Amino acid sequence: MKIAILSDIHSNLEALQACCRKTKILGVEQYICLGDIVGYCADPVATLELVMNLPGIVAVCGNHDKAVLSGNFPNARESVQQAIVWTRRQLSEKHTDFIRSLPYSLHLQNIACAHASLYNPEQWQYLYQPDQVRQCMDATQATITFLGHTHLPILYYDNAMGRIKLMTPQEGIPVPIYQQRRYVANVGSVGQPRDGNSAASFVMYDSELAEITFYRVAYDFTKTAKKILESDLASDFAKRLADSAWEF
Amino acid sequence: MTEKIHEASLGETINGFYLQTQWHKSLLCTLYRVTHPDHDLAMVMKVPKLDVILPPSAYAGFETEVRILSRLRGVYTPRVVGKGDMATCPYIVMEYIEGDAILQATNHAPVTVARLVELLVPLCKAIHELHQHNIIHLDIKPENIRNREDGQAVIIDFGSAHHTLMPDMYIDSHEMAPRTPDYVAPEQIQHIRNEFGSDIYALGIIMYQLATGKFPFAYSNQITLYKKLYLPPTPPRVYDETLPPWLQEVILRCLQRHPHNRFTSAKQLAYMLLHPHMIKLSRLAELKQKPGLVEKMRFWFAARRDKRQSSTLLHPRERIIRVHHVLVALDLSHSAEELKQALHTTLQRLARSDRQCFFTVLSVIESNEFSFSKGVDEENRQAHSTNIHCQIELRHWMKTLNLAKNRVNYQVIEGTAASEIIGYARHHLVDHIIIGARGSSTLRRYLGSVSSKVVAEAPCSVTVVRTQINQSTKEKNVDPEL
């Protein structure tokens, strides 16, 4: 079965639609969403509707999703805080109920999913250090763990000596997954990539071939940016779609 | 993990594969000759050893081999017939290839220069093919090279290989990666695994071995292994003064300490072996003595200055394609001046924009041009003189491009134009063909369209050059009122 893993959509409808077009061509049968469906961009309702209607969708919650429910985003910048409040105003009860139903992590056969890490997922830590990746790997028996949160597509694996190593995946090149090894794949971000590449990022997992493939999909981010500028959201969010930079 | 895994053994039948005889045994794996009722070809099963205390790398090497071989299709690697579940019964069944010409030749080295070239060219092509797929073998040695009946080299044992687009199981665990000290490149000693020049270095060692029957660095322990980093190799002509200088140049260029000073690709090496006159000889070609103290000190200081070599981020394929082999098919006798001019302009643009590309200018003399000759000797003489005349014309035609001698090679072949051009491109792994389109419809009708056949059957990109004058003439013919 081909499973598409999407993360950090952040209300970017155009990016999500572009990814869905690509997944349709690839023959994806099931979707996993790794949270942060809302925040930053101006289409939270349409994005949530689309996510909720994806075939076989299973999802976990992200820190932005949780913040929308609580109306409070601790340690966030003021513009991000305002975006949370603005997003909350757009959502109906149906949408908030869906977000409320999302778990912090989930396991499907030999794969595990979380937004930030499987180790204390509610702490939303950013996985950069090998020790953090090791903690995440040790929190599950699953062969491969899919994460988002950092917006940077990357693949961690344990090498011949059991040390955590990383590789920057090449777009469209399948990477074989072996049962006896452990992998942590950060699928990048659909709606706000931060690796200098403005194209939306997602991963496809082929359970029959035991392969994962990272994909990038170009989309019209000027349209998304225009919507942000026409709303009450901070203009920085629009600029960031083009810059795709980690820092503003 | 190992308790649950079953290690296949002699006499067993696994998934229809009957383990008939043990063919080879090493510390890390056992190889069995196997049969299967559904497969007629000769097969060999590789089973990783699990019953002894082994480093985790033993299993990682097997995993790497399965991963790489399962993805490759082609004549340069053994065909994979079956593989077992890595978690329960790991094995891989491959096509068995009988020939081991290079191993035999190294055992009976030195061999003649002609034999060396004959053995090395197919090997270079096989390694080039791996590099094209971003695979660096990292353990090229005679034992890992087999030969098909037609002489084609087949590379086996990918246990220490690195696919630059896949997770590398040996990254930062280099001490665990299986390697053969005699063939290991200096950068491998420095723990660099993503340098495809390491395979070119191993080719240099094999050539050295074939030419002299010796290794450039005698290996006895880990300390002597480091000689490769700090000492220059003994020139092969020290052992055999009769070796041609170009061969020494080629070998010593492959054995350069810095990978960027070696040949850019295995394909380029094969081309040089087949066209020794293209090799620009340096002082390396004339060395006939072991490096003296001064030379050794100079090399040692240079090595000290050049600390750990930084590995390049480019994948092998990206680097290989930087050096383009362009085949220019030129029909001097039947091409109009305008077309020759148009071809010339195209080449000029290419040579200026791409300073690393090299050209072969090929002219095919149609076989029927000699048919009027009576005796065989007379025909040969006629062919020889036509050949020389053509070569002179080609050189004259290319002169104004002012290309360095080692960037252009001239070939005159007798035969049918299209098939000779395609055959040459296939044999020399040409990257790009530039050919002129015959403007005259009468000639095209008579001789057939060479360019359209080349476009249809060439193994690489083809640029067909036309003259704008021809097009306008054609338009005029179609509609005279204009």
Side-chain angles (χ1 to χ4, degrees):
Chain A
M1 181 189 271
K2 289 178 178 174
I3 305 167
I5 301 107
L6 314 164
S7 186
D8 298 85
I9 304 165
H10 288 298
S11 306
N12 188 335
L13 183 65
E14 288 73 27
L16 179 60
Q17 285 171 333
C19 288
C20 289
R21 280 194 291 272
K22 179 78 177 174
T23 53
K24 203 174 171 186
I25 295 165
L26 293 168
V28 165
E29 297 149 83
Q30 193 189 346
Y31 290 81
I32 296 175
C33 179
L34 301 180
D36 276 6
I37 305 167
V38 293
Y40 294 125
C41 297
D43 270 319
V45 174
T47 304
L48 267 167
E49 286 289 339
L50 182 50
V51 169
M52 287 158 72
N53 288 306
L54 287 171
I57 182 73
V58 285
V60 293
C61 65
N63 49 334
H64 282 253
D65 306 323
K66 279 288 171 197
V68 163
L69 288 183
S70 63
N72 178 36
F73 201 157
N75 305 323
R77 285 194 314 274
E78 199 184 328
S79 58
V80 180
Q81 193 75 255
Q82 283 169 357
I84 292 298
V85 175
W86 181 89
T87 303
R88 183 73 173 92
R89 282 205 302 269
Q90 315 297 315
L91 303 183
S92 68
E93 202 179 328
K94 183 177 81 169
H95 303 124
T96 51
D97 283 351
F98 173 74
I99 294 173
R100 200 169 287 115
S101 71
L102 302 178
Y104 281 105
S105 63
L106 62 87
H107 285 76
L108 296 166
Q109 294 166 354
N110 64 339
I111 63 174
C113 303
H115 178 65
S117 173
L118 284 173
Y119 177 75
N120 291 341
E122 68 285 356
Q123 286 185 359
W124 314 116
Q125 59 173 318
Y126 288 91
L127 256 67
Y128 296 124
Q129 303 301 324
D131 292 349
Q132 295 173 306
V133 179
R134 173 58 69 201
Q135 281 177 332
C136 177
M137 273 185 187
D138 289 347
T140 178
Q141 293 292 313
T143 305
I144 183 158
T145 304
F146 292 106
L147 304 175
H149 197 45
T150 63
H151 295 218
L152 303 171
I154 209 153
L155 180 67
Y156 297 96
Y157 61 98
D158 55 346
N159 75 346
M161 293 300 291
R163 295 175 191 149
I164 302 291
K165 294 292 148 196
L166 63 88
M167 70 170 281
T168 308
Q170 292 279 311
E171 187 187 336
I173 305 285
V175 176
I177 299 296
Y178 284 107
Q179 291 287 335
Q180 63 278 15
R181 299 227 163 263
R182 312 289 289 280
Y183 303 84
V184 171
N186 194 312
V187 303
S189 167
V190 170
Q192 198 191 69
R194 292 176 191 169
D195 59 347
N197 180 354
S198 60
S201 172
F202 75 94
V203 161
M204 188 181 79
Y205 173 61
D206 190 323
S207 59
E208 278 166 33
L209 297 176
E211 287 178 344
I212 62 163
T213 314
F214 287 75
Y215 286 100
R216 300 306 289 254
V217 187
Y219 71 99
D220 184 5
F221 58 77
T222 56
K223 195 172 168 186
T224 317
K226 201 175 165 197
K227 286 183 188 173
I228 294 171
L229 296 173
E230 284 168 359
S231 70
D232 294 336
L233 295 166
S235 60
D236 283 353
F237 300 155
K239 190 172 174 283
R240 199 171 199 180
L241 294 177
D243 294 347
S244 311
W246 174 248
E247 299 289 348
F248 277 117
Chain B
M1 184 172 71
T2 40
E3 283 113 29
K4 292 182 202 164
I5 304 177
H6 173 69
E7 184 184 329
S9 56
L10 193 67
E12 269 188 86
T13 302
I14 295 167
N15 294 334
F17 293 103
Y18 172 59
L19 283 73
Q20 209 170 29
T21 50
Q22 187 177 298
W23 182 56
H24 178 77
K25 193 175 183 176
S26 72
L27 181 68
L28 303 179
C29 67
T30 315
L31 287 143
Y32 300 95
R33 292 294 304 271
V34 293
T35 56
H36 192 285
D38 298 342
H39 302 284
D40 284 338
L41 79 165
M43 292 173 291
V44 64
M45 179 188 275
K46 189 171 190 175
V47 182
K49 281 194 81 69
L50 304 164
D51 61 342
V52 289
I53 302 161
L54 283 173
S57 63
Y59 204 69
F62 180 74
E63 193 181 294
T64 305
E65 178 157 28
V66 172
R67 178 186 308 167
I68 289 175
L69 280 179
S70 310
R71 283 177 171 239
L72 290 174
R73 302 274 183 281
V75 291
Y76 300 114
T77 47
R79 194 183 127 200
V80 175
V81 184
K83 56 182 177 179
D85 186 342
M86 297 291 284
T88 54
C89 182
Y91 68 83
I92 182 166
V93 180
M94 298 168 278
E95 166 191 15
Y96 171 74
I97 296 135
E98 181 79 42
D100 56 354
I102 292 187
L103 182 61
Q104 294 298 331
T106 48
N107 288 341
H108 299 98
V111 298
T112 62
V113 175
R115 179 70 179 143
L116 184 149
V117 172
E118 188 188 5
L119 289 168
L120 254 290
V121 170
L123 175 58
C124 291
K125 285 185 185 175
I127 289 171
H128 178 72
E129 183 71 12
L130 293 183
H131 293 168
Q132 289 266 53
H133 286 91
N134 292 309
I135 296 164
I136 309 168
H137 190 278
L138 297 172
D139 197 17
I140 294 290
K141 58 180 177 179
E143 289 82 354
N144 288 342
I145 304 153
R146 312 294 292 179
N147 290 88
R148 294 188 190 278
E149 281 175 13
D150 60 0
Q152 212 137 32
V154 179
I155 313 291
I156 59 167
D157 194 355
F158 287 77
S160 51
H162 172 43
H163 192 309
T164 62
L165 301 178
M166 303 283 156
D168 183 11
M169 292 303 159
Y170 289 119
I171 190 167
D172 290 348
S173 300
H174 318 277
E175 66 279 6
M176 309 310 297
R179 60 186 188 182
T180 313
D182 283 323
Y183 299 90
V184 86
E187 63 274 11
Q188 283 176 273
I189 303 167
Q190 292 176 306
H191 301 165
I192 292 171
R193 282 178 52 79
N194 60 351
E195 177 51 67
F196 76 95
S198 303
D199 289 345
I200 310 267
Y201 187 92
L203 286 172
I205 302 275
I206 294 173
M207 277 193 285
Y208 197 108
Q209 219 184 334
L210 288 171
T212 64
K214 293 180 167 55
F215 284 107
F217 299 95
Y219 170 76
S220 55
N221 56 44
Q222 285 297 319
I223 296 166
T224 53
L225 185 64
Y226 280 81
K227 275 184 182 174
K228 290 188 180 188
L229 278 174
Y230 296 109
L231 289 176
T234 304
R237 291 180 77 193
V238 167
Y239 301 114
D240 183 358
E241 217 176 305
T242 61
L243 283 177
W246 65 263
L247 184 60
Q248 174 154 301
E249 177 81 31
V250 167
I251 293 173
L252 292 183
R253 263 188 75 184
C254 289
L255 299 183
Q256 288 292 300
R257 190 172 49 83
H258 202 292
H260 286 211
N261 295 335
R262 297 174 203 153
F263 286 98
T264 319
S265 67
K267 179 183 78 170
Q268 195 190 18
L269 172 58
Y271 190 77
M272 292 303 171
L273 286 171
L274 289 170
H275 303 91
H277 61 277
M278 292 272 288
I279 300 162
K280 199 175 171 184
L281 299 182
S282 69
R283 63 171 197 92
L284 294 175
E286 295 306 326
L287 296 173
K288 284 180 191 167
Q289 286 180 339
K290 284 189 178 183
L293 185 64
V294 176
E295 175 72 4
K296 281 181 182 172
M297 290 294 282
R298 198 177 60 80
F299 196 91
W300 188 81
F301 276 116
R304 293 280 298 171
R305 269 200 309 274
D306 183 18
K307 288 174 188 166
R308 189 186 155 118
Q309 295 158 9
S310 59
S311 56
T312 173
L313 287 173
L314 284 177
H315 296 289
R317 190 175 156 73
E318 288 173 58
R319 268 177 51 200
I320 289 167
I321 57 172
R322 287 183 164 195
V323 182
H324 228 53
H325 181 190
V326 182
L327 176 66
V328 186
L330 185 64
D331 181 2
L332 283 173
S333 50
H334 299 112
S335 298
E337 270 314 309
E338 292 83 1
L339 181 61
K340 285 188 206 168
Q341 192 56 48
L343 269 167
H344 205 272
T345 313
T346 307
L347 290 187
Q348 211 158 22
R349 279 198 204 112
L350 192 64
R352 278 180 190 163
S353 62
D354 184 353
R355 301 260 174 209
Q356 280 191 295
C357 71
F358 63 104
F359 300 89
T360 295
V361 187
L362 176 76
S363 192
V364 184
I365 306 164
E366 298 285 346
S367 309
N368 56 15
E369 286 180 30
F370 305 107
S371 59
F372 55 82
S373 304
K374 286 174 185 171
V376 175
D377 285 348
E378 196 183 337
E379 192 173 310
N380 282 342
R381 267 199 301 278
Q382 175 79 21
H384 185 66
S385 111
T386 314
N387 192 319
I388 289 173
H389 180 70
C390 256
Q391 290 246 14
I392 293 166
E393 267 196 277
L394 289 177
R395 278 165 205 271
H396 177 74
W397 186 76
M398 286 291 282
K399 206 176 172 183
T400 48
L401 286 178
N402 287 327
L403 291 171
K405 272 185 184 175
N406 60 339
R407 279 189 75 189
V408 58
N409 179 38
Y410 303 93
Q411 287 288 328
V412 178
I413 307 175
E414 187 197 337
T416 314
S419 52
E420 290 299 334
I421 294 166
I422 295 160
Y424 190 93
R426 282 219 176 95
H427 186 62
H428 293 285
L429 310 174
V430 165
D431 300 297
H432 188 179
I433 299 173
I434 297 180
I435 186 168
R438 279 178 180 145
S440 161
S441 55
T442 321
L443 263 179
R444 197 185 298 170
R445 269 201 302 277
Y446 174 63
L447 296 170
S449 172
V450 175
S451 55
S452 60
K453 191 161 186 241
V454 171
V455 168
E457 295 176 27
C460 59
S461 301
V462 182
T463 299
V464 179
V465 177
R466 267 180 208 286
T467 56
Q468 289 187 338
I469 298 163
N470 280 344
Q471 283 173 359
S472 59
T473 313
K474 196 178 164 188
E475 280 168 24
K476 216 171 178 181
N477 289 341
V478 171
D479 191 354
E481 284 181 24
L482 288 173

